[in-house]
Amino acid sequence: MSSANQVLVLNCGSSSFKFALLNSETGTETLSGLAERLGSDDASITFKRNGNKNSLSLNDKNRHLDAIKTLVSYLETEGLSNDIAAVGHRVVHGGEKFTESVVIDSSTIKSIEDVSSLAPLHNPANLIGIEAAMVAFPGIPQVAVFDTAFHQSMPAKAYLYAIDKQLYKEKGIRRYGFHGTSHFYVSRQAAESLAKQISETSVITVHLGNGCSVCAIENGQSVDTSMGLTPMEGLVMGTRSGDLDPGITIYLMRKYGYDADKLDQLLNKQSGLLGLSGLSNDCRTLEQALESEDEQTQQSAQLALEVFSYRVAKYIASYTCALTHLDAVVFTGGIGENSDYLRSRIIAHLGVLGLSVDEARNTAARFGHSGPIHGNDSRAAIWVIPTNEELVIAQDAARLTFNHSQDNQQQGA
Ligand code: ADP
């Protein structure tokens, strides 16, 4: 066992993986980086350490395994490998099986495989990372942390769809929700900022990144969230549509011959801010386009951002139904942490609930600066809190393997 409390956090996608080596107690990051384009001729891995970046090409015959082996060599060369006490893996879908993080053994792997059909793009990639890491770090405990686990506390009225209930009972079709580690983390940070016990804190957390979701958290527990069976439901996202009339898909199939692949492409890759604006999925680009001299560009960007913010506001308003009281609305994620423009647009729709923004505070809370942004007359606090999913994964991995004193940090359950 290492005394350094270092946890290697891996977030593995089908052709890339992100990694970070951090101290589970202090959150200090020693190393971070990204392996990308795995499976192609220009696969590479980039290490970020002490403010320096260093990229290497990968011999990519074995994709993730080669990349992880290169990471292991780097850790050895830099004298960091002996400090690793645990490896924490982000796993997207835990189904109903996983209500909290777990130490990985062969039965866990089998269970993650069993729910893979619910997240066919993500879970198999997460498993590749887990299996490669088990080979590369023999003897070091590995922990799986699920995006869905925090939301397993939702009541049936929130997670059931109003369709034939056999589809839930036999096929597991229900709301699971995602971004659980992020909603968990910022809600705990919010309770601390409000100087309240988490068990008495009710907040609506709004994670706005490339993927976007809202979560209603009653006394520390997730009671509703906007993503569903898959991460497509709910808010307008970078390229995902979020909510739409299910009849649209039937109409496109019957009238225009769409099949599953074409619908997937449309709703996952070509919709959201990109589809609405025809310009970009990137919020920064759209905010710049608001200043464009070309009227059509300016209007397209404005309309996309208006649909985006109105949808977020509708979710915040509707989630007040899930709570007995509202202590705070919390913004996080790349957009939530940085776009004072969109935060202001969103809260402007919520005047009827008595929420207001202080524009000077709103402008100040960007680029890593957290803080309250509500006006003095606002009926609930509004906070900007940077998320830290890696830290939650590292803390859960530490708690389950070498630092059992962190029991109160547990997410899910
Ligand atoms: P991911 O979901 O991939 O982790 P992020 O949380 O990094 O994504 O969020 C990416 C989004 O954040 C992009 O739409 C990006 O434009 C937006 N973003 C980042 N910085 C700013 C900024 N200064 N102003 C507005 N949007 C920003």
Side-chain angles (χ1 to χ4, degrees):
M1 187 175 82
S2 165
S3 58
N5 293 335
Q6 296 288 310
V7 176
L8 181 66
V9 174
L10 294 180
N11 179 354
C12 205
S14 56
S15 62
S16 68
F17 74 82
K18 285 189 201 159
F19 53 89
L21 181 64
L22 63 160
N23 183 303
S24 62
E25 282 190 2
T26 63
T28 307
E29 219 170 68
T30 317
L31 171 73
S32 65
L34 172 70
E36 54 193 334
R37 295 183 292 276
L38 301 176
S40 77
D41 288 344
D42 52 355
S44 68
I45 186 165
T46 302
F47 301 98
K48 284 189 223 158
R49 185 156 193 229
N50 302 329
N52 297 320
K53 261 193 189 178
N54 174 16
S55 288
L56 300 173
S57 298
L58 288 169
N59 163 9
D60 199 32
K61 233 172 53 209
N62 296 311
R63 295 174 64 111
H64 296 73
L65 188 55
D66 284 331
I68 287 184
K69 281 185 175 160
T70 308
L71 170 60
V72 173
S73 310
Y74 182 91
L75 291 164
E76 278 167 1
T77 314
E78 296 286 308
L80 298 170
S81 53
N82 290 336
D83 290 343
I84 300 174
V87 180
H89 296 268
R90 173 185 181 217
V91 179
V92 168
H93 218 306
E96 288 188 326
K97 167 86 186 168
F98 295 104
T99 58
E100 57 180 316
S101 305
V102 288
V103 177
I104 299 172
D105 58 19
S106 52
S107 77
T108 323
I109 290 179
K110 167 85 180 54
S111 299
I112 296 172
E113 275 166 6
D114 289 345
V115 293
S116 280
S117 59
L118 292 170
L121 293 179
H122 295 103
N123 274 31
N126 302 151
L127 278 168
I128 290 170
I130 289 171
E131 279 164 357
M134 287 174 98
V135 173
F137 300 99
I140 295 182
Q142 319 258 333
V143 169
V145 179
F146 300 89
D147 269 19
T148 50
F150 179 54
H151 303 300
Q152 278 296 305
S153 48
M154 280 188 291
K157 68 180 177 193
Y159 71 67
L160 284 179
Y161 292 111
I163 52 176
D164 182 346
K165 67 172 180 283
Q166 294 311 322
L167 288 169
Y168 164 56
K169 290 201 170 144
E170 290 166 10
K171 300 183 178 23
I173 294 180
R174 52 159 283 179
R175 176 183 312 287
Y176 291 94
F178 299 87
H179 287 148
T181 41
S182 178
H183 292 295
F184 170 85
Y185 178 77
V186 298
S187 58
R188 271 62 194 162
Q189 293 296 112
E192 238 177 273
S193 303
L194 298 164
K196 291 190 70 160
Q197 295 292 324
I198 185 63
S199 58
E200 293 169 2
T201 306
S202 293
V203 291
I204 295 175
T205 49
V206 186
H207 179 114
L208 306 177
N210 282 313
C212 301
S213 68
V214 185
C215 183
I217 299 174
E218 170 79 347
N219 296 329
Q221 297 221 309
S222 170
V223 290
D224 206 348
T225 193
S226 58
M227 284 177 167
L229 173 78
T230 74
M232 275 173 67
E233 194 183 348
L235 302 181
V236 175
M237 312 189 203
T239 61
R240 287 174 239 161
S241 64
D243 291 343
L244 80 170
D245 174 357
I248 293 172
T249 55
I250 299 167
Y251 182 74
L252 289 173
M253 290 166 86
R254 290 213 176 116
K255 182 140 171 94
Y256 296 103
Y258 276 60
D259 60 11
D261 286 346
K262 205 165 169 199
L263 283 171
D264 188 16
Q265 186 68 15
L266 173 75
L267 300 176
N268 258 322
K269 301 273 164 56
Q270 297 165 342
S271 297
L273 291 174
L274 175 65
L276 274 166
S277 68
L279 298 171
S280 172
N281 63 311
D282 193 297
C283 177
R284 272 167 300 199
T285 310
L286 295 180
E287 287 191 24
Q288 280 157 13
L290 292 176
E291 312 295 327
S292 170
E293 282 170 14
D294 179 66
E295 201 177 329
Q296 205 180 339
T297 302
Q298 190 268 336
Q299 283 177 359
S300 301
Q302 190 172 20
L303 191 63
L305 294 171
E306 192 55 28
V307 176
F308 180 95
S309 35
Y310 179 57
R311 179 86 56 88
V312 178
K314 280 207 291 190
Y315 264 96
I316 294 172
S318 68
Y319 279 2
T320 56
C321 305
L323 304 177
T324 54
H325 68 287
L326 177 65
D327 292 307
V329 173
V330 181
F331 286 98
T332 195
I335 297 172
E337 291 166 29
N338 296 300
S339 176
D340 52 340
Y341 172 80
L342 279 175
R343 290 189 306 240
S344 177
R345 303 292 305 166
I346 293 164
I347 301 301
H349 290 296
L350 296 167
V352 79
L353 293 180
L355 298 180
S356 72
V357 158
D358 176 310
E359 287 304 344
R361 284 168 150 187
N362 188 29
T363 309
R366 289 187 297 165
F367 315 131
H369 295 288
S370 55
I373 61 165
H374 50 273
N376 291 335
D377 59 346
S378 185
R379 273 179 59 191
I382 307 172
W383 276 75
V384 174
I385 299 182
T387 195
N388 194 342
E389 290 160 277
E390 288 78 17
L391 181 59
V392 176
I393 295 173
Q395 286 174 338
D396 268 15
R399 176 178 58 78
L400 290 170
T401 58
F402 63 88
N403 187 352
H404 300 285
S405 66
Q406 290 185 342
D407 275 353
N408 58 345
Q409 294 292 318
Q410 160 172 346
Q411 78 149 325

